[in-house]
Amino acid sequence: MTIDWKGVMPAVTTKFTDKDTLDLKMFEVNINAQLEAGVHGIILGGTLGEASTLSDDEKRILVRTTVDIVKNKVPVIINIAEQTTKGAIEAAKKAKEDGASGLMMLPPMRYKAGGRETVIYFKEVARTTDLPIMIYNNPVDYKIEVTLDMFEELLQLDNIQAVKESTRDISNVTRIKNRFGDRLKILSGVDTLALESLLMGADGWVAGLVDAFPAETVAIYELQKAGRIKEALEIYRWFLPLLELDINAKLVQNIKLAEVATGIGTENVRAPRLPLVGEERKKVLEIIENGLKTRPCLPDYKNIELIH
């Protein structure tokens, strides 16, 4: 499957049972809710997917299971976050074998690679696979920035096609468009800057709170795309306190609590993460409960061309 890098792509959470095994039943419930809402792709094994706690076997099970559930309706993308080039090449090979449509790739983990090392890392992996690749550029959390000059080199390879833009600098969308036009597709990776990024020309949104609120997330995307900015803004303003739960060290726990509230997830996380307790939990629950109480009525965003 070729990937049209646009629209809403959930960075889905990994569901665990009370015994700390993969909860594929609840995982399927959530994936089906995403598909029903009209998402444009599924991204596995990111930060929200608790990738660093998953075994290789578990990642492979998640890819195969998702491919089976989505039945080619949308692309299935697996994140690669490895410590070695060799490990990343192996992960890309397994992703292809398991039926993934594409890769999201972080710079090397743990070692703070320099610019030349980062470019060579991405290139060496890209040369070993024909899967399309989205580079995850998040210098805030991962301390390595992929600059525009580095992208200039990376785009020599046809299968490097998109960036998950998480620099938190909204002007970067315009810089990328000015420099690369449509050659490098842009997906906003920061929930609290998503609509702003889309209005500045980003092609899509790798979303977090979509895991609990899929319809609202897709509605914002479709409305702004159709030029119905006022309606998109109303939903986005309602959504912002919830979206801020994503910009937090406990984003996994926060979003899993929200999934419980909307009936499409459980609170189970994998240690060393622990479920929220005390005052912290109370505050997050208040935000979620207030969001549910004031949840907006959505227009028929799936048939927007017909209404437009």
Side-chain angles (χ1 to χ4, degrees):
M1 180 187 277
T2 56
I3 300 181
D4 201 357
W5 297 99
K6 67 177 186 189
V8 173
M9 297 195 182
V12 295
T13 57
T14 301
K15 311 295 183 285
F16 298 110
T17 66
D18 294 343
K19 293 180 178 167
D20 196 36
T21 58
L22 293 180
D23 184 348
L24 297 177
K25 200 172 281 186
M26 186 51 86
F27 181 75
E28 184 167 3
V29 166
N30 192 285
I31 297 292
N32 282 328
Q34 304 300 326
L35 295 173
E36 175 56 32
V39 301
H40 305 81
I42 299 287
I43 297 177
L44 303 165
T47 310
L48 269 175
E50 295 175 73
S52 60
T53 72
L54 297 175
S55 69
D56 276 359
D57 279 350
E58 286 173 325
K59 287 178 192 169
R60 300 195 75 171
I61 289 164
L62 287 173
V63 174
R64 291 180 197 139
T65 302
T66 309
V67 167
D68 195 45
I69 297 166
V70 307
K71 294 182 171 54
N72 283 325
K73 292 189 194 100
V74 297
V76 175
I77 296 150
I78 178 80
N79 183 45
I80 290 184
E82 295 290 333
Q83 295 179 51
T84 65
T85 305
K86 193 188 285 186
I89 289 168
E90 187 58 28
K93 182 170 165 273
K94 288 171 182 170
K96 171 82 172 179
E97 285 168 11
D98 295 334
S101 323
L103 308 171
M104 179 168 83
M105 280 194 69
L106 275 161
M109 296 282 95
R110 290 204 181 165
Y111 174 62
K112 190 176 183 295
R116 184 174 65 94
E117 290 170 320
T118 303
V119 167
I120 290 170
Y121 171 79
F122 284 133
K123 278 184 160 185
E124 291 199 353
V125 179
R127 284 193 186 108
T128 67
T129 181
D130 60 358
L131 290 176
I133 293 169
M134 171 166 64
I135 303 292
Y136 184 0
N137 191 19
N138 185 348
V140 177
D141 293 323
Y142 295 106
K143 310 305 174 201
I144 294 174
E145 180 170 5
V146 186
T147 64
L148 295 196
D149 287 348
M150 288 161 75
F151 272 114
E152 190 81 56
E153 284 190 67
L154 292 170
L155 293 179
Q156 292 166 11
L157 296 174
D158 290 344
N159 59 334
I160 295 179
Q161 299 174 354
V163 57
K164 180 181 173 186
E165 164 52 41
S166 298
T167 61
R168 318 298 202 261
D169 178 357
I170 199 74
S171 318
N172 223 29
V173 175
T174 303
R175 286 188 198 100
I176 292 167
K177 285 290 172 197
N178 284 348
R179 181 116 168 221
F180 303 117
D182 278 340
R183 171 63 184 89
L184 183 63
K185 298 293 183 187
I186 305 167
L187 283 84
S188 172
V190 182
D191 270 4
T192 56
L193 290 175
L195 181 55
E196 294 88 336
S197 299
L198 290 165
L199 294 176
M200 293 313 294
D203 304 282
W205 175 3
V206 176
L209 264 295
V210 68
D211 290 344
F213 295 94
E216 289 83 356
T217 310
V218 180
I220 290 167
Y221 171 79
E222 296 294 356
L223 286 164
Q224 65 79 33
K225 190 176 160 210
R228 289 163 58 169
I229 310 301
K230 190 165 178 285
E231 290 168 271
L233 253 178
E234 276 173 28
I235 302 166
Y236 191 62
R237 283 176 179 157
W238 158 81
F239 211 1
L240 190 68
L242 288 157
L243 296 176
E244 285 175 332
L245 296 175
D246 186 53
I247 311 301
N248 183 293
K250 301 273 177 73
L251 75 164
V252 176
Q253 291 94 323
N254 293 346
I255 288 172
K256 284 192 167 184
L257 258 187
E259 287 179 334
V260 171
T262 56
I264 53 174
T266 70
E267 213 184 321
N268 296 332
V269 287
R270 178 165 278 174
R273 281 188 182 86
L274 296 171
L276 301 180
V277 293
E279 199 55 35
E280 192 174 26
R281 180 187 178 83
K282 193 175 152 214
K283 279 183 183 160
V284 172
L285 282 173
E286 274 171 16
I287 292 166
I288 294 165
E289 280 156 18
N290 191 51
L292 288 171
K293 251 185 273 176
T294 56
R295 205 171 184 177
C297 278
L298 300 178
D300 184 8
Y301 66 88
K302 288 186 191 173
N303 296 303
I304 213 142
E305 276 83 16
L306 306 178
I307 320 166
H308 184 38

